[in-house]
Amino acid sequence: MSTYVYGITAASHPALPEGMGGVGDPPRPVRVLREGELAAVVSDAPEGLRPKRRELLAHQNILSEVGAAGCVLPMRFGSVAPDDDAVTGVLAERAEHYRERLRALDGRVEYNIKANHVEDAVLHHVMAGNPEIRALAEANRQAGGGSYDDKIRLGEMVAAAVKAKEAEDGTALERALEGSADAVSVGPESTGWLANISYLVKRETAEEFLAAVDQARKDMPHLEVRLNGPLPPYSFVEPGPAEPAGTAAGGADIGAG
């Protein structure tokens, strides 16, 4: 039977509540494997596991329960090792790395920010800030809509200006919030959002970070800003002692198969 891994903690982490069930149908009992100063929260891995809503929620619920009692390094959904020995082997092999990450992430949570433009509002910004676009739009209006080429040219100019505004606003949003966080991890650009940013925040200063988000919404009302968290620090697990905390995203792998 292969082993499903939810996360890594210190061996001294408080015991799990009895009867916790994880992924699978029926839910597989959750247990703890210890190796030196580290422990892995695991269960037997069900066959044919798929990222369905019930399974994703089960994975997340286990991490939330474990994280409420202390620091946990969350694994990606679907992290499976061949057996328990493979898990403890990885804990032993990467012990220094995991101990460093547990120290660095102790008492911290992740907040993810995604943002996009409110279409009408950003078009207003683009028109107000670009005299050339305003002039062409007015010329087209006076000409009864303008020629086909003028319409195409106006559309291309507006699209380019909106794209530039996306980059500008994404940077502005990141800078507005980074002062309230310990580290920042920027998500991939191909997400459909102008900003997809994760922030590592001390639990004790979370209210300060949330206030900064509220202020950013007021300062940039042309943005739709979505906040998700607090989350286990998925985006800050992988960097090691010689790397900055915000260089990798998505949680760790442990002998994934």
Side-chain angles (χ1 to χ4, degrees):
M1 176 68 70
S2 54
T3 302
Y4 187 96
V5 187
Y6 300 88
I8 296 170
T9 69
S12 58
H13 193 281
L16 300 177
E18 290 188 14
M20 285 184 67
V23 297
D25 186 15
R28 303 303 194 267
V30 176
R31 50 198 169 81
V32 175
L33 302 176
R34 289 182 171 81
E35 174 64 36
E37 298 177 19
L38 299 170
V41 180
V42 306
S43 69
D44 290 344
E47 299 215 359
L49 182 67
R50 296 290 181 268
K52 296 180 179 179
R53 177 176 173 77
R54 199 212 76 82
E55 306 292 9
L56 292 168
L57 286 175
H59 181 93
Q60 182 65 41
N61 288 342
I62 294 298
L63 286 171
S64 296
E65 186 74 34
V66 176
C71 188
V72 58
L73 305 181
M75 298 297 108
R76 295 184 181 93
F77 175 83
S79 292
V80 177
D83 52 33
D84 288 1
D85 288 344
V87 176
T88 54
V90 173
L91 292 183
E93 179 183 339
R94 303 194 69 199
E96 181 180 352
H97 168 80
Y98 289 136
R99 287 197 300 265
E100 184 277 335
R101 286 290 83 198
L102 285 166
R103 288 192 297 268
L105 301 179
D106 189 30
R108 291 161 174 81
V109 293
E110 176 174 332
Y111 286 92
N112 177 258
I113 294 287
K114 290 183 172 68
N116 256 335
H117 279 139
V118 178
E119 186 173 356
D120 290 345
V122 73
L123 288 176
H124 174 78
H125 269 265
V126 165
M127 296 294 287
N130 193 310
E132 187 178 1
I133 290 178
R134 287 202 311 275
L136 181 55
E138 178 60 21
N140 284 358
R141 187 189 67 80
Q142 292 183 1
S147 68
Y148 173 80
D149 287 344
D150 284 341
K151 290 177 182 178
I152 293 296
R153 179 170 168 242
L154 178 60
E156 290 174 343
M157 290 173 65
V158 169
V162 168
K163 188 172 182 62
K165 185 65 174 166
E166 286 180 348
E168 175 187 329
D169 285 338
T171 299
L173 182 62
E174 179 181 344
R175 289 178 176 170
L177 301 178
E178 64 185 5
S180 301
D182 282 3
V184 179
S185 177
V186 179
E189 294 183 2
S190 58
T191 59
W193 302 90
L194 68 85
N196 176 19
I197 312 167
S198 291
Y199 295 87
L200 186 67
V201 178
K202 293 186 181 72
R203 290 183 186 272
E204 62 194 38
T205 62
E207 290 300 321
E208 176 185 331
F209 178 79
L210 296 176
V213 174
D214 286 341
Q215 187 60 51
R217 285 172 169 151
K218 294 175 184 176
D219 293 342
M220 293 179 275
H222 58 292
L223 292 183
E224 175 197 2
V225 178
R226 296 188 183 182
L227 171 70
N228 189 20
L231 303 166
Y234 286 100
S235 301
F236 303 93
V237 171
E238 275 305 315
E243 302 172 73
T247 59
D253 285 321
I254 182 166

